[in-house]
Amino acid sequence: MSNPNVTDTIITCGDGVQLAASIYMPTTSLKGAVMMAPATGIKRQFYANFASYLADNGFGVITFDNRGIGGSLYGPIKRHTASLQCWGEKDMPAVLEHLKSQFPQTKYHLLGHSAGGQLIGLMPNAMDISSMFNVACSSGQLRNMRRGYQLPAHFFMNFFIPLSNIVFGHTKSQWVGMGQPLPKAVAKQWQQWCNGQGYVKTAFGRTVHQHCYDELTLPSMWVNAIDDDIANNMNVADMMSVFPKLKGQTLTLTPSEHGLTEIGHMKFFSSKSKILWPLALNWLDKH
């Protein structure tokens, strides 16, 4: 990377798996530290401009690739055993510990994009997080999506994912504009959780036997956009219901009110949407 304030690093998880990550050093006095938790199948480079913006405003930031994605993919993807669950239980806790070691004795915030906010309750060290700012984070429940989007969503989840896993041994999600290729267990769990209520809640007592969703009380902001077909208001509420004690606020953005043509599920982090970034910065400054 050309930015002298950014350093690429490797984080070793408790089970020995190594993750590619990038550390953004603040260019002013340190206000706090931010863990930028990515959406499903999205590489850390996608968040580079946003992370630099936070660093320019006093926050240390870490971005990372979950196991099986981008720089954290080693060997053939069809042999990879990564799952959504292990991203929350193993990857995210290791990243947070690394963030704490880089920026000791400060406040730590989770900035979650989609899955990045959904999985916090699987982290055994989630109590170390002072606040959470989520973007496009919801349960993704298929039945709550608008009728015109349900058909392509069902096609991807319930036809494309299982067929791709059978034929290729992984999900070629890049073929339908859904980020990086996904390890088969990641895609299978994604399919299962979006077909149920409360996303990860569908796995409670099945594959998820320990979690802290019931205990988290940290202040949180949940930002979505009126043109997001996945994280619509019903699905945001559905995801928030999995955190019974969470202090949550919501904000639904209308692109035209901010001089934008679209925000959707991904464009909050686009440089074209910089006008929205103070929403996150102001939240971090207050918490």
Side-chain angles (χ1 to χ4, degrees), residues 168-248:
F168 303 108
H170 71 281
T171 292
K172 290 187 175 292
S173 40
Q174 77 277 17
W175 283 6
V176 290
M178 298 292 282
Q180 295 294 296
L182 296 176
K184 58 186 175 184
V186 168
K188 185 177 180 181
Q189 230 167 21
W190 196 17
Q191 175 200 11
Q192 291 170 338
W193 293 2
C194 287
N195 274 286
Q197 184 270 331
Y199 192 68
V200 64
K201 190 176 181 179
T202 61
F204 289 178
R206 296 179 182 178
T207 60
V208 174
H209 300 291
Q210 285 186 312
H211 65 83
C212 60
Y213 287 94
D214 295 339
E215 303 164 36
L216 288 173
T217 59
L218 76 167
S220 62
M221 173 63 79
W222 300 66
V223 177
N224 69 332
I226 200 78
D227 60 334
D228 187 341
D229 287 314
I230 300 168
N232 58 42
N233 289 347
M234 284 190 292
N235 278 340
V236 171
D238 185 33
M239 191 69 229
M240 292 178 72
S241 73
V242 184
F243 302 82
K245 297 180 182 177
L246 200 69
K247 300 167 185 173

Side-chain angles (χ1 to χ4, degrees), residues 3-68:
N3 188 333
N5 298 311
V6 182
T7 304
D8 291 337
T9 188
I10 297 293
I11 298 171
T12 303
C13 299
D15 60 353
V17 171
Q18 293 188 319
L19 306 178
S22 299
I23 299 286
Y24 293 73
M25 300 301 295
T27 55
T28 62
S29 59
L30 181 69
K31 296 178 183 176
V34 177
M35 174 177 161
M36 182 68 241
T40 304
I42 303 301
K43 295 193 293 184
R44 70 190 191 281
Q45 289 85 355
F46 177 78
Y47 306 101
N49 290 332
F50 179 76
S52 292
Y53 167 79
L54 295 183
D56 288 343
N57 285 277
F59 288 91
V61 184
I62 191 166
T63 61
F64 65 99
D65 294 333
N66 282 304
R67 63 182 69 193

Side-chain angles (χ1 to χ4, degrees), residues 68-226:
I69 303 297
S72 300
L73 173 62
Y74 305 96
I77 192 170
K78 64 182 181 181
R79 295 181 189 166
H80 215 289
T81 59
S83 65
L84 286 175
Q85 188 171 331
C86 73
W87 286 357
E89 291 179 342
K90 298 175 181 178
D91 294 7
M92 291 172 65
V95 173
L96 179 58
E97 290 304 311
H98 192 82
L99 183 69
K100 288 161 60 179
S101 72
Q102 292 292 309
F103 304 100
Q105 297 181 323
T106 190
K107 286 187 175 181
Y108 306 101
H109 309 272
L110 180 74
L111 210 150
H113 181 204
S114 196
Q118 295 161 342
L119 299 174
I120 182 177
L122 296 177
M123 299 171 63
N125 55 356
M127 296 298 183
D128 294 339
I129 298 172
S130 297
S131 83
M132 176 167 65
F133 186 96
N134 284 337
V135 176
C137 180
S138 77
S139 67
Q141 188 177 165
L142 296 176
R143 68 174 65 95
N144 285 339
M145 294 177 183
R146 65 177 177 85
R147 190 166 296 176
Y149 191 72
Q150 277 191 4
L151 183 60
H154 273 288
F155 171 83
F156 175 70
M157 286 292 174
N158 298 321
F159 178 77
F160 186 86
I161 285 177
L163 181 63
S164 186
N165 278 356
I166 291 170
V167 174
F168 303 108
H170 71 281
T171 292
K172 290 187 175 292
S173 40
Q174 77 277 17
W175 283 6
V176 290
M178 298 292 282
Q180 295 294 296
L182 296 176
K184 58 186 175 184
V186 168
K188 185 177 180 181
Q189 230 167 21
W190 196 17
Q191 175 200 11
Q192 291 170 338
W193 293 2
C194 287
N195 274 286
Q197 184 270 331
Y199 192 68
V200 64
K201 190 176 181 179
T202 61
F204 289 178
R206 296 179 182 178
T207 60
V208 174
H209 300 291
Q210 285 186 312
H211 65 83
C212 60
Y213 287 94
D214 295 339
E215 303 164 36
L216 288 173
T217 59
L218 76 167
S220 62
M221 173 63 79
W222 300 66
V223 177
N224 69 332
I226 200 78

